[in-house]
Amino acid sequence: MENEKITSVQMMMLLYPAITTTAILLVPGVTAQHAQQDMWLSPIWASLIGFLTVHITVQLYRLYPKKHRLNIAWISLVRFSASSSACFCYFFIFMSPRLLSANTESLSSVTFCFARRLTL
């Protein structure tokens, strides 16, 4: 027992109940604090998200009937990462010059203000 190590799955099994319990205890209180009179809407939104999750899971199992959950997750991750990387490349190529020029303008105006104060 002194030098035994636990696997990542065993660590997940230890941490999952703690995280779930914390969420079950804290989320309704925080939601009630912010929602106040509209607290009755929170279970409706939560159930809609739960139904959407079940629907997506069932559709994925129908799309890949002989695949394991991890294989389906890997296929979905690869497809999502390909599309998200294309979006990132688009953003990086077309939006970076705009952001760079905006930052350059703001830095030059700040530098001008400090230089003006020093000369006065």
Side-chain angles (χ1 to χ4, degrees):
M1 287 291 286
E2 294 176 16
N3 292 328
E4 292 186 21
K5 295 182 180 179
I6 62 172
T7 64
S8 59
V9 175
Q10 291 171 332
M11 185 61 142
M12 180 196 67
M13 297 295 263
L14 288 172
L15 290 177
Y16 186 76
I19 294 169
T20 306
T21 306
T22 305
I24 289 171
L25 292 175
L26 291 180
V27 169
V30 173
T31 305
Q33 184 179 14
H34 291 289
Q36 295 173 356
Q37 296 296 324
D38 296 327
M39 181 64 185
W40 62 274
L41 286 170
S42 299
I44 294 172
W45 292 115
S47 62
L48 288 176
I49 293 170
F51 290 143
L52 178 67
T53 303
V54 169
H55 176 71
I56 290 171
T57 305
V58 169
Q59 293 302 319
L60 282 173
Y61 277 122
R62 286 183 183 168
L63 188 62
Y64 305 107
K66 300 291 183 183
K67 300 276 186 186
H68 191 265
R69 285 182 300 190
L70 294 176
N71 294 345
I72 294 171
W74 180 254
I75 292 168
S76 302
L77 180 69
V78 167
R79 287 186 180 174
F80 175 74
S81 65
S83 62
S84 64
S85 64
C87 292
F88 177 75
C89 288
Y90 171 78
F91 178 80
F92 186 74
I93 290 170
F94 293 108
M95 295 303 290
S96 290
R98 292 182 185 175
L99 295 172
L100 184 63
S101 67
N103 286 336
T104 305
E105 288 175 13
S106 65
L107 285 176
S108 65
S109 65
V110 168
T111 306
F112 177 72
C113 291
F114 283 127
R116 188 173 164 194
R117 285 185 185 170
L118 291 175
T119 57
L120 294 175

